[in-house]
Amino acid sequence: MLAAQRRDLLLERLRTEGRIVAKDLAAEVGISEDTIRRDLRDLAAAGLCQRVYGGALPVSPAIADYATRQEVSVDGKQRVARAAAALIEPGATVILDGGTTTLAVVRALPLDLQATVVTHSPTIASALEEHRDVDVYVIGGRLFKHSMVACGAAAVEAARGVHADLFLLGVTGVHPEAGLTTGDADEAAMKRALAHQAADTYVLASSEKIGTASRFGVLPFSEVAGVVTDAVNAVVRALEVPVIRA
């Protein structure tokens, strides 16, 4: 089998089955496991898969730049946003993550909402300008431009002074085996720090993120109260966490 044929086969398996186990595929098609692993390394280097122990998973489209992500799964993000906005009760203190789905949550909030919002995203903070009864506190630090959020040691330290009722967490990948993932180590650490300051953490996951994985783990499913998603598929049913259908 030529290299181009193997590449097409691997991409097709990722699309249809949602994962590749190198050992099993090698035995199935009569190619050495080393060859499969080498092909997966090449695909990963091209940004076409996420390598994991023993094989690979689909890469998340949410690792694209911020402007591009604003055009991805717009309807799904809006449905997730409406469901997530309903979790915010009047008078609550809420931590809002950065990202395009969380921005949709802000746009779904009633203008007369009374609440306190803590965020490490200047984009989210500015989007709350018209919510006159929402007090907004901004956590500062090094700006991670991919998601337009503050990260780093200073931001993590500032987060430790926050105590919230709810954290709406954005991730780039949600997978039953890989867990909740994102593409940057500092951003993952910041997300963990914020989650540890909230009574409940809900994951915002429009359908393009379900069944995919990125490089860095954020939290185990055991540490979140639920996943808000518009996806309805076998991967969602395999998640060991409550699911809120958007």
Side-chain angles (χ1 to χ4, degrees):
M1 186 180 290
L2 299 176
Q5 293 174 309
R6 297 197 307 270
R7 173 190 170 102
D8 290 343
L9 173 63
L10 293 172
L11 291 175
E12 177 65 12
R13 288 298 175 92
L14 283 172
R15 186 185 68 82
T16 59
E17 299 182 10
R19 63 171 299 173
I20 289 171
V21 178
K23 180 179 179 180
D24 293 347
L25 184 58
E28 177 186 338
V29 299
I31 297 173
S32 73
E33 188 175 345
D34 285 343
T35 298
I36 296 293
R37 291 182 182 277
R38 184 170 61 252
D39 289 342
L40 291 177
R41 285 197 296 271
D42 292 342
L43 289 179
L48 298 175
C49 76
Q50 176 60 52
R51 293 181 67 210
V52 295
Y53 181 78
L57 298 174
V59 70
S60 172
I63 62 174
D65 62 80
Y66 193 88
T68 300
R69 296 200 318 278
Q70 292 189 70
E71 306 301 322
V72 174
S73 190
V74 175
D75 291 342
K77 289 177 181 177
Q78 290 176 346
R79 289 195 293 272
V80 170
R82 288 192 293 269
L87 297 172
I88 301 176
E89 298 180 355
T93 297
V94 182
I95 302 172
L96 293 183
D97 205 348
T100 56
T101 307
T102 317
L103 184 58
V105 172
V106 170
R107 293 169 176 164
L109 295 175
L111 290 176
D112 61 351
L113 174 69
Q114 293 182 334
T116 298
V117 169
V118 180
T119 183
H120 61 314
S121 169
T123 304
I124 298 302
S126 63
L128 287 161
E129 177 187 5
E130 295 182 2
H131 293 77
R132 297 187 177 182
D133 294 321
V134 174
D135 289 329
V136 181
Y137 293 85
V138 183
I139 294 174
R142 180 184 65 84
L143 184 65
F144 179 50
K145 294 181 181 179
H146 174 271
S147 300
M148 291 301 293
V149 294
C151 295
V156 169
E157 182 63 26
R160 293 184 179 134
V162 176
H163 299 282
D165 302 297
L166 176 68
F167 175 35
L168 297 183
L169 166 65
V171 295
T172 58
V174 179
H175 193 280
E177 297 175 22
L180 304 168
T181 56
T182 195
D184 180 81
D186 285 346
E187 188 182 21
M190 186 65 195
K191 291 175 186 294
R192 283 192 296 275
L194 292 171
H196 293 156
Q197 301 307 125
D200 290 310
T201 294
Y202 283 88
V203 181
L204 309 179
S206 45
S207 57
E208 81 280 4
K209 300 172 183 176
I210 299 295
T212 70
S214 296
R215 292 175 63 193
F216 299 99
V218 178
L219 290 170
F221 288 112
S222 60
E223 293 188 21
V224 301
V227 173
V228 186
T229 184
D230 62 317
V232 181
N233 54 36
V235 176
V236 173
R237 290 190 290 273
L239 299 178
E240 296 182 354
V241 66
V243 174
I244 296 177
R245 305 287 186 185

